[in-house]
Amino acid sequence: MSITMDTTLASLVTNKRRVSALKSLGIVTVGDALTYYPFRVTEPVPLRAIREAAPGQQMAFAAVIRDMRVVPMNARRGYRLEATVDDADFARSRRVPGSTARLTFFSYRKSYVDWVSMRLRAGTSVVVSGMPSEYMGQLQFTHPEILTVAPGSAGAGAGLEGYARGAASGNGAFAGSTDPYASVQSAYPPAAAAPSGAALKYDADTVQEALTRVCRPRPVYHASSRISSEHIHETILGLLWMMGARTSSTPDGQLAGAGSAGIVAPTTDTIAVQNGEENSGTTAESGAETLSQSIPDVLPESVRKAKNLMHRAEAFLAIHDPASTARFKEAIETLRYEEAFVSQTSLLKARSHAHKSAAHSCPLVTDSLRDQFIASLPFSLTAGQQQVIHDIAADLAHDWPMQRLLQGEVGSGKTVVALAAMLQAVDAGYQAVLVAPTQVLAEQHAETIGRMVEQLKPAIPVTLLTGGMKLAARRKALAAASSGEPGIIVATHAAFSKTFQAPHLALVVIDEQHRFGVEQRESLNAKTDDGTTPHLLVMTATPIPRTAAMTWFGDLDISWLTELPGGRKPIRTVVVNEADAATMGRMFAHIRARVDAGERAYIVCPRIDADDEGNEGGSGVSAAAGSARGRAAASGSSARTAAGGRATRAAADAIGIDDPYETFDENGETVARPPLHAVAEIADRLQKLPQFQGIRFATLTGRDKDDVKTQVMADFAGGETPILVSTTVIEVGVDVKQASCIVIFDADRYGLSQLHQLRGRVGRGGTNSWAFLISRAEPGSPAEQRLEVIHHSLDGAEIAQADLEFRGAGDVLGDAQSGGKSSLKLLRVVKDADMIADARTRAGQLLAADPELAGEVQLAGAVLDFTRGNETFLTSS
């Protein structure tokens, strides 16, 4: 059976429960398994004789079982197994006297005790790794790791003299040479022969091999309650064996050397080993060659050699079966550079492809509509707005499509910039489309734009097109668009429907939070009658650090609006511990006072219903963190799992939080957290408080229909329901001038950028404003430290930088923005800026010589996979 990176685990792993548990972690194929990287490796275990043992310090040694007994524990039920080991010959190799120690195992299961008893027969040679302690004056190892050594094996005692030399460096067996066990002889006696008729299976053929296995570093993976890190490791090693690996990656940079420790063949109850493969006679060298064929290199050979990087197969082997921590780090750097190179090649190809397309040229004319519009504004543009408008005007004049990202703080005037660009397209005789993420925002844009252009001559038609329109109005809007008459069309997802036609479309503006993929972009391109590609302007209020923007949006020209128009006052941010009843009471009294003064307040919760878990495992995000990592978009329209799949609509609606900060214990397992607060629960509790007697509340969630959302927002803005309890559906585009307070429950569970976005919903009318972040974070915890960032800063770029450093790079291009699961699993946007720049330079040189990557088939495939996995040009969290 030929195994590739695309082979499914279900066809290889015989344990179906394990297949299901791995799937919950997003591991479905061999490629998923090999790229499920450990988050750390253990340090090498030092070799020490029993007399050199120090209580509480990990150690490993070779010994012989002298006696063994099983003692029933009558008072506590169960059994205690004790075995005495003697390390006389091993100690002699380290030039210290030999000694004895006790190995102790406890279990309620007689079957387990019988299995251990069978392995630890008197006379058996073993290698022991564990933490020593003292009990009743004798050294004891409780539940140590034991590897049994086959009796009478050739070279069973090889390597013991080398331990003494290795110990001098303080690193046990891993003291510098490529093979610390090779070419050294010892008088260590072979293990006693197994009793006649016993069908024992030994863990290692030689003491040398066993010591190598227990001493070498071990990878630790993020696990879950369904599968341990050890079982994840076992599965991955089994897959590597099936693909041809027979020995570990050695420190000198070669795959599989003659003296290296072997990868143990998987058992048939774990991996579906094919007939004849168990004893195929594969040599180390041929195994290395086979593994390289199964896992071809992605990086061009010239780049790999210039950067002194490993082969891809070698790197996977060094990560999942590292010979040393240094070797592990070297492999991680290799695959990190590979990610940088593939991503930058993909972005440069996209940029080059865009410049080869044709677009409508929209040169600026004298006495243009754009200039009329700017002159009619009741305020002066900031210097940043003027510069961006000038840059966009120059782009629109070209006959190839503009592709520009406009990033600006909430309230920085992005809409004015976008409208100036759309008027330039209309002045040239073409159509412009503004795509908004929700019907509420589309209606707001249509009303605002209509009001801004009503005085311009000639008159500019503004057409609204949404999925929630009545049939007659929708037909009228579609007819207006299909006429090709120059004008502005404000649309939601309806712009991508087959019935929408805009034959003279020259400019598409994508507003924040909208997922705009390749298929949707191609759909809009098809709306033109002459095959041209529309100019593209993507806007976001999500703060993006410049390093991240240059990395992820390298195929776009990038503009920043950093100045805020005058009149806006800074938002006062207060972090409140939910357990502090007195402060909570004062906060609610303050909100009541602001409502009595004619202002409005938002109360934000991450979930809709307290009893609606969707597919999230029974306790919201916290239950799903280690497996599905469910999260929903702020609009409640989509949810992603760790595997990149889609959860049900119920789960999508139930949770609107960006929950990137999972907590893991030292074994990589997720730590449970309290259930998230829900809209229905909080609305019910607040209405019963004395501070809010006589005040009407409204609720708003992603489940509400568009007409309901419109009515709720109208009542909120008008003051009929001055307090709105909602999910993060209000995160984007909601503009209520009277809103002065926002309370965010479970703030310690949100991404910093998302908190910054939510905070921007208040203070838009020039009044004093407050943001209250309600937290259940432990004092001094990382969650509390994150909230301090948002507490002390109003700078979106600074907050975004901190967000990246706290949560990891994530996948700003794609759906998996949590930072845990993404197509870029190792690359760190902030720390790897120099690496990314180097990769971009080398990728540019490669594409200049081979634009279609005809000579780099594997790289071309990786670039295509990356593009498909990241076809979203903007995901705002």
Side-chain angles (χ1 to χ4, degrees), residues 45 66 69 113 204 287 289 334 349 351 366 400 409 478 513 544 547 551 597 677 727 761 768 784 803 817-818 839 844:
V45 178
R66 290 307 180 205
R69 65 174 183 154
V113 173
E289 183 179 347
T334 291
K349 275 182 66 68
R351 189 181 185 94
T366 305
W400 65 81
E409 292 280 356
L478 289 171
Q513 187 71 21
I544 304 171
T547 53
T551 302
H677 287 301
T727 60
R761 294 306 106 201
N768 291 322
E784 186 182 63
D803 207 8
Q817 184 147 348
S818 70

Side-chain angles (χ1 to χ4, degrees), residues 21 54 135-136 191 220 226 239 246 254 259 321 326 405 453 535 537 584 682 684 761 836 838:
Y135 180 70
M136 298 183 65
V220 182
R226 299 180 60 186
L239 295 172
R246 294 296 184 268
Q254 302 297 318
D321 190 32
L405 170 69
V453 302
H535 298 280
L537 176 64
M584 293 284 286
I682 293 298
D684 182 62
R761 294 306 106 201
I836 293 166
D838 179 87

Side-chain angles (χ1 to χ4, degrees), residues 4 25 27-29 53 90 194 217 244 260 295 315 416 459 494 567 600 631 699 702 720 737 748 813 846 859 870 877:
T4 68
L25 295 174
I27 304 173
V28 178
T29 67
F90 175 76
S260 302
I295 309 174
V416 170
R600 314 281 184 270
R631 64 172 288 255
T699 62
E720 292 183 36
K737 305 294 185 187
D748 52 301
L813 285 181
L846 176 67
L859 176 62
N870 296 281
S877 66

Side-chain angles (χ1 to χ4, degrees), residues 438-440 443 466-468 704-711:
T438 65
Q439 178 167 324
V440 171
E443 291 171 347
T466 71
D704 296 326
K705 294 181 179 180
D706 286 337
D707 57 342
V708 173
K709 291 178 183 176
T710 301
Q711 186 59 51

Side-chain angles (χ1 to χ4, degrees), residues 110-144:
K110 184 66 165 58
S111 59
Y112 172 77
V113 173
D114 290 343
W115 176 74
V116 176
S117 300
M118 184 174 63
R119 300 180 75 227
L120 303 186
R121 295 176 184 270
T124 302
S125 292
V126 294
V127 165
V128 181
S129 174
M131 192 87 71
S133 61
E134 189 175 336
Y135 180 70
M136 298 183 65
Q138 185 174 5
L139 199 68
Q140 174 175 281
F141 292 82
T142 304
H143 284 274

Side-chain angles (χ1 to χ4, degrees), residues 495-656:
F496 304 121
S497 68
K498 294 180 180 179
T499 55
F500 174 75
Q501 297 294 329
H504 294 161
L505 183 60
L507 172 64
V508 175
V509 180
I510 308 297
D511 200 6
E512 56 194 355
Q513 187 71 21
H514 183 67
R515 287 176 167 79
F516 189 64
V518 169
E519 293 179 5
Q520 294 165 326
R521 190 167 73 251
E522 292 299 326
S523 175
L524 276 177
N525 291 347
K527 306 304 179 185
T528 59
D529 60 355
D530 51 10
T532 57
T533 300
H535 298 280
L536 175 66
L537 176 64
V538 181
M539 301 192 301
T540 178
T542 300
I544 304 171
R546 289 176 184 260
T547 53
M550 295 304 293
T551 302
W552 307 136
F553 303 109
D555 58 331
L556 305 178
D557 295 305
I558 306 171
S559 297
W560 281 272
L561 287 179
T562 56
E563 302 172 68
L564 291 181
R568 292 203 64 179
K569 297 181 180 179
I571 302 168
R572 304 174 195 178
T573 304
V574 183
V575 179
V576 181
N577 189 314
E578 189 172 341
D580 186 350
T583 303
M584 293 284 286
R586 290 196 301 273
M587 175 189 73
F588 290 134
H590 171 79
I591 292 172
R592 174 60 187 262
R594 303 320 307 163
V595 168
D596 289 342
E599 297 169 11
R600 314 281 184 270
Y602 297 105
I603 311 289
V604 178
C605 305
R607 290 170 56 207
I608 297 176
D609 300 317
D611 59 349
D612 187 350
E613 308 300 346
N615 278 355
E616 301 306 317
S619 60
V621 170
S622 60
S627 54
R629 294 189 194 182
R631 64 172 288 255
S635 62
S637 62
S638 61
R640 306 295 186 266
T641 65
R646 299 179 186 273
T648 64
R649 178 60 186 261
D653 289 336
I655 301 178

Side-chain angles (χ1 to χ4, degrees), residues 33-324:
L34 296 185
T35 57
Y36 192 80
Y37 302 117
F39 67 94
R40 69 180 176 91
V41 289
T42 61
E43 289 297 320
V45 178
L47 289 168
R48 292 177 183 152
I50 293 175
R51 284 190 179 274
E52 298 172 304
Q57 295 183 15
Q58 193 84 6
M59 61 177 282
F61 61 95
V64 175
I65 304 291
R66 290 307 180 205
D67 60 66
M68 182 271 298
R69 65 174 183 154
V70 176
V71 182
M73 296 187 296
N74 296 325
R76 298 171 51 193
R77 294 176 45 243
Y79 304 88
R80 181 178 76 250
L81 185 150
E82 296 179 348
T84 303
V85 293
D86 180 354
D87 74 337
D89 295 286
F90 175 76
R92 189 181 307 116
S93 73
R94 297 180 62 80
R95 295 173 176 79
V96 296
S99 186
T100 61
R102 183 167 51 209
L103 312 181
T104 305
F105 301 84
F106 299 93
S107 179
Y108 290 111
R109 293 163 47 207
K110 184 66 165 58
S111 59
Y112 172 77
V113 173
D114 290 343
W115 176 74
V116 176
S117 300
M118 184 174 63
R119 300 180 75 227
L120 303 186
R121 295 176 184 270
T124 302
S125 292
V126 294
V127 165
V128 181
S129 174
M131 192 87 71
S133 61
E134 189 175 336
Y135 180 70
M136 298 183 65
Q138 185 174 5
L139 199 68
Q140 174 175 281
F141 292 82
T142 304
H143 284 274
E145 180 182 3
I146 303 289
L147 293 184
T148 58
V149 181
S153 303
L160 296 182
E161 294 293 343
Y163 305 145
R165 292 201 305 273
S169 70
N171 197 27
F174 297 91
S177 68
T178 299
D179 181 11
Y181 305 111
S183 71
V184 182
Q185 300 301 317
S186 168
Y188 196 85
S196 175
L200 293 180
K201 181 177 181 181
Y202 294 92
D203 299 313
D205 292 331
T206 65
V207 173
Q208 168 191 324
E209 176 191 336
L211 280 165
T212 303
R213 283 169 54 187
V214 300
C215 290
R216 67 190 301 114
R218 294 193 182 182
V220 182
Y221 303 82
H222 284 313
S224 72
S225 59
R226 299 180 60 186
I227 186 168
S228 67
S229 172
E230 193 65 32
H231 283 157
I232 294 171
H233 187 215
E234 177 185 75
T235 303
I236 294 174
L237 287 185
L239 295 172
L240 285 168
W241 190 93
M242 288 286 288
M243 298 177 82
R246 294 296 184 268
T247 64
S248 307
S249 176
T250 59
D252 65 353
Q254 302 297 318
L255 279 173
S260 302
I263 293 181
V264 178
T267 59
T268 53
D269 59 354
T270 303
I271 300 288
V273 181
Q274 304 303 301
N275 291 336
E277 288 185 352
E278 299 93 329
N279 301 301
S280 60
T282 305
T283 64
E285 290 72 15
S286 65
E289 183 179 347
T290 303
L291 186 65
S292 299
Q293 292 172 352
S294 301
I295 309 174
D297 215 347
V298 168
L299 287 174
E301 183 73 8
S302 58
V303 173
R304 186 167 70 82
K305 288 184 176 179
K307 297 294 293 181
N308 194 27
L309 301 173
M310 297 180 179
H311 187 281
R312 193 174 199 229
E314 180 187 356
F316 280 134
L317 198 53
I319 285 173
H320 297 296
D321 190 32
S324 65

Side-chain angles (χ1 to χ4, degrees), residues 388-523:
V388 174
I389 289 174
H390 174 77
D391 292 341
I392 291 174
D395 288 346
L396 292 176
H398 295 145
D399 58 3
W400 65 81
M402 169 183 73
Q403 289 192 293
R404 184 172 291 275
L405 170 69
L406 175 58
Q407 194 275 323
E409 292 280 356
V410 172
S412 60
K414 296 186 298 298
T415 303
V416 170
V417 172
L419 182 51
M422 289 189 287
L423 289 173
Q424 183 171 338
V426 172
D427 223 1
Y430 300 109
Q431 295 169 292
V433 172
L434 171 61
V435 184
T438 65
Q439 178 167 324
V440 171
L441 186 54
E443 291 171 347
Q444 287 185 6
H445 275 315
E447 181 183 351
T448 301
I449 291 172
R451 194 168 55 247
M452 285 181 163
V453 302
E454 62 184 358
Q455 303 299 326
L456 301 183
K457 301 296 181 183
I460 307 298
V462 178
T463 303
L464 175 65
L465 178 61
T466 71
M469 296 174 69
K470 292 183 178 180
L471 184 58
R474 180 177 173 81
R475 284 177 174 172
K476 183 177 179 181
L478 289 171
S482 62
S483 70
E485 179 186 0
I488 295 172
I489 303 162
V490 181
T492 56
H493 292 237
F496 304 121
S497 68
K498 294 180 180 179
T499 55
F500 174 75
Q501 297 294 329
H504 294 161
L505 183 60
L507 172 64
V508 175
V509 180
I510 308 297
D511 200 6
E512 56 194 355
Q513 187 71 21
H514 183 67
R515 287 176 167 79
F516 189 64
V518 169
E519 293 179 5
Q520 294 165 326
R521 190 167 73 251
E522 292 299 326
S523 175

